[in-house]
């Protein structure tokens, strides 16, 4: 019963476009992840996706998939739609922890190009004729 309740709470959180919070006391890491989620929502791609999804009475959802480690200094962030059957990722971003607080945040964000590697977001926009603002 507890397992089902936990799954229900996790699913409910994603459907509402909220990010999951750990079952622990509030910490500085929570603040960093909240700030990171807020900044990701300012990206043009995420705003456009959210606008697109609103036509279907849904919202874009941010999922902080992985946190920095000694071996991998990046936060990996998935952005997409949390559907009733699965999470549908539209964008896969990453950023190094020490760049999150930068005022020119977008300059340090990288995007998985779905072929073979991460590329700087601004370069991806230029190559795909997306506005840079």
């Amino acid at each position: 019963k507890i397992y089902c309740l936990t799954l229900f709470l996790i699913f409910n959180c994603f459907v509402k476009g909220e990010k999951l919070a750990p079952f622990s006391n509030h910490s500085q890491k929570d603040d960093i992840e909240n700030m990171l989620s807020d900044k990701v929502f300012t990206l043009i791609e995420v705003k456009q996706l959210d606008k697109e999804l609103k036509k279907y009475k849904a919202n874009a959802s941010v999922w902080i998939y992985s946190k920095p480690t000694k071996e991998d200094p990046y936060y990996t962030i998935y952005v997409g739609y949390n559907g009733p059957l699965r999470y549908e990722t539209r964008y896969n971003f990453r950023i190094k922890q020490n760049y999150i607080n930068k005022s020119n945040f977008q300059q340090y964000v990288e995007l998985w190009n779905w072929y073979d590697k991460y590329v700087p977001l601004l370069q991806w926009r230029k190559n795909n004729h997306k506005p840079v603002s």
Side-chain angles (χ1 to χ4, degrees):
K1 290 181 182 180
I2 291 174
Y3 177 74
C4 289
L5 177 61
T6 303
L7 287 176
F8 172 76
L9 291 173
I10 291 170
F11 177 77
N12 194 30
C13 219
F14 272 123
V15 168
K16 292 180 179 178
E18 300 169 2
K19 64 182 177 55
L20 292 176
F23 296 107
S24 65
N25 293 334
H26 181 73
S27 69
Q28 185 177 6
K29 285 190 177 190
D30 295 338
D31 291 340
I32 291 170
E33 291 174 25
N34 286 331
M35 179 178 55
L36 177 57
S37 292
D38 290 345
K39 285 192 170 202
V40 167
F41 265 107
T42 67
L43 298 174
I44 298 168
E45 293 77 11
V46 178
K47 287 180 181 180
Q48 289 174 345
L49 175 62
D50 196 47
K51 183 178 178 181
E52 196 178 304
L53 290 172
K54 285 195 186 308
K55 295 176 191 173
Y56 306 101
K57 298 186 179 178
N59 295 3
S61 178
V62 171
W63 177 13
I64 298 178
Y65 181 75
S66 67
K67 300 174 187 176
T69 63
K70 288 181 183 178
E71 297 79 30
D72 183 10
Y74 292 92
Y75 275 99
T76 304
I77 306 109
Y78 293 165
V79 176
Y81 167 67
N82 191 31
L85 300 177
R86 66 186 176 279
Y87 190 86
E88 298 175 15
T89 303
R90 179 74 62 92
Y91 297 106
N92 181 343
F93 298 107
R94 77 176 186 177
I95 187 168
K96 286 187 176 178
Q97 182 173 2
N98 24 335
Y99 297 134
I100 294 172
N101 290 324
K102 299 280 187 182
S103 60
N104 52 349
F105 168 80
Q106 294 183 37
Q107 179 178 334
Y108 301 101
V109 174
E110 295 179 345
L111 174 73
W112 180 254
N113 70 4
W114 296 109
Y115 298 108
D116 62 350
K117 63 181 178 179
Y118 280 97
V119 295
L121 177 60
L122 299 180
Q123 176 188 331
W124 180 84
R125 285 177 181 166
K126 185 176 178 182
N127 293 345
N128 291 285
H129 308 290
K130 302 287 183 185
V132 180
S133 61

